[in-house]
Amino acid sequence: DGGITQSPKYLFRKEGQNVTLSCEQNLNHDAMYWYRQDPGQGLRLIYYSQIVNDFQKGDIAEGYSVSREKKESFPLTVTSAQKNPTAFYLCASSGWQGGGETQYFGPGTRLLVL
Amino acid sequence: AQTVTQSQPEMSVQEAETVTLSCTYDTSESNYYLFWYKQPPSRQMILVIRQEAYKQQNATENRFSVNFQKAAKSFSLKISDSQLGDTAMYFCAFMLRSSNTGKLIFGQGTTLQVKP
């Protein structure tokens, strides 16, 4: 089955620690995205990548880093510089379906600070 | 800059009835996509429906349909024959067709409760 997987489902971060969220897709999509969702709110874009070995900052990139070494993978690192990391993180990839572009989402990772 | 506004934080509907969720957006562009996504308690973001701005015909997907009013910049979602499984948070989203980012701009969401 084609889709997007994210791991882990839950992640706990200690103060001063960097943590990495995994995102893998087998949809053969070039573009991938990371969004952050805070309680009761919509999604905000952290980083995006339109092609392997290239990525761009989104609206709230401070305290986060990414890499895109493979088409299928787009890991997100939450660094110690991110002072309020508790949130739900969603990865997405974008492709053409039915004559239009559409983003599809993974199941998400909930990050909690200990 | 584009913005998306959902003015109904919460709504409820009886099972089997029809409900309409509202969304307005602001843009100076003419070529874009609009989406409705559903986020159930599992928090998985699921695509409900997509509308291309250049199409005059309103999109439909089974029990879900939209009322797209381009001049008014309005994009409402109608859910017919509501089912308990429709209980979720619904997000309206905007994407520029010409964008080199593919960035989605989301509204704040509407929580829909379907009552038995």
Side-chain angles (χ1 to χ4, degrees):
Chain A
D1 284 340
I4 303 171
T5 57
Q6 290 186 242
S7 62
K9 189 172 182 179
Y10 296 95
L11 186 57
F12 299 91
R13 193 191 91 164
K14 296 179 181 178
E15 195 158 338
Q17 185 181 39
N18 292 352
V19 292
T20 297
L21 285 61
S22 170
C23 177
E24 304 277 333
Q25 56 100 359
N26 61 4
L27 300 169
N28 200 33
H29 289 166
D30 287 316
M32 297 186 73
Y33 306 83
W34 274 105
Y35 292 90
R36 169 179 171 143
Q37 185 180 27
D38 292 286
Q41 299 202 18
L43 281 64
R44 293 181 291 167
L45 182 65
I46 304 172
Y47 267 98
Y48 64 96
S49 169
Q50 297 283 61
I51 199 168
V52 174
N53 292 324
D54 186 55
F55 49 83
Q56 305 295 330
K57 293 181 179 180
D59 299 321
I60 55 167
E62 186 175 349
Y64 300 98
S65 65
V66 293
S67 62
R68 187 82 188 280
E69 297 176 1
K70 298 187 300 180
K71 187 175 185 178
E72 303 78 19
S73 179
F74 191 40
L76 173 74
T77 297
V78 184
T79 74
S80 57
Q82 173 49 245
K83 298 307 179 189
N84 184 24
T86 296
F88 188 62
Y89 291 86
L90 284 156
C91 177
S93 68
S94 182
W96 285 83
Q97 180 198 32
E101 187 173 353
T102 302
Q103 280 191 26
Y104 300 93
F105 288 82
T109 293
R110 180 184 290 272
L111 176 60
L112 298 168
V113 177
L114 293 177
Chain B
Q2 290 77 31
T3 59
V4 177
T5 302
Q6 294 178 248
S7 59
Q8 305 154 314
E10 296 180 357
M11 293 190 72
S12 64
V13 63
Q14 291 296 131
E15 195 175 7
E17 293 187 349
T18 295
V19 63
T20 299
L21 280 57
S22 301
C23 173
T24 58
Y25 59 95
D26 189 28
T27 184
S28 58
E29 304 287 338
S30 60
N31 202 2
Y32 49 86
Y33 298 103
L34 292 163
F35 303 86
W36 279 98
Y37 282 91
K38 168 185 176 181
Q39 189 177 42
S42 67
R43 305 200 74 175
Q44 170 86 52
M45 194 71 81
I46 301 165
L47 175 69
V48 175
I49 202 163
R50 183 190 72 216
Q51 175 78 43
E52 289 89 345
Y54 69 89
K55 290 185 177 178
Q56 292 185 344
Q57 186 174 7
N58 289 325
T60 62
E61 285 289 344
N62 301 314
R63 297 183 295 107
F64 299 88
S65 62
V66 298
N67 183 5
F68 174 47
Q69 301 290 326
K70 192 172 184 178
K73 296 179 183 175
S74 170
F75 183 60
S76 61
L77 174 70
K78 184 172 83 170
I79 306 174
S80 304
D81 185 26
S82 297
Q83 299 176 1
L84 296 177
D86 295 333
T87 292
M89 195 157 189
Y90 288 80
F91 291 96
C92 179
F94 172 100
M95 181 198 296
L96 276 177
R97 190 180 172 98
S98 59
S99 169
N100 60 359
T101 70
K103 173 183 172 181
L104 278 172
I105 299 168
F106 286 87
Q108 295 291 83
T110 296
T111 299
L112 176 67
Q113 177 78 39
V114 180
K115 298 180 178 178

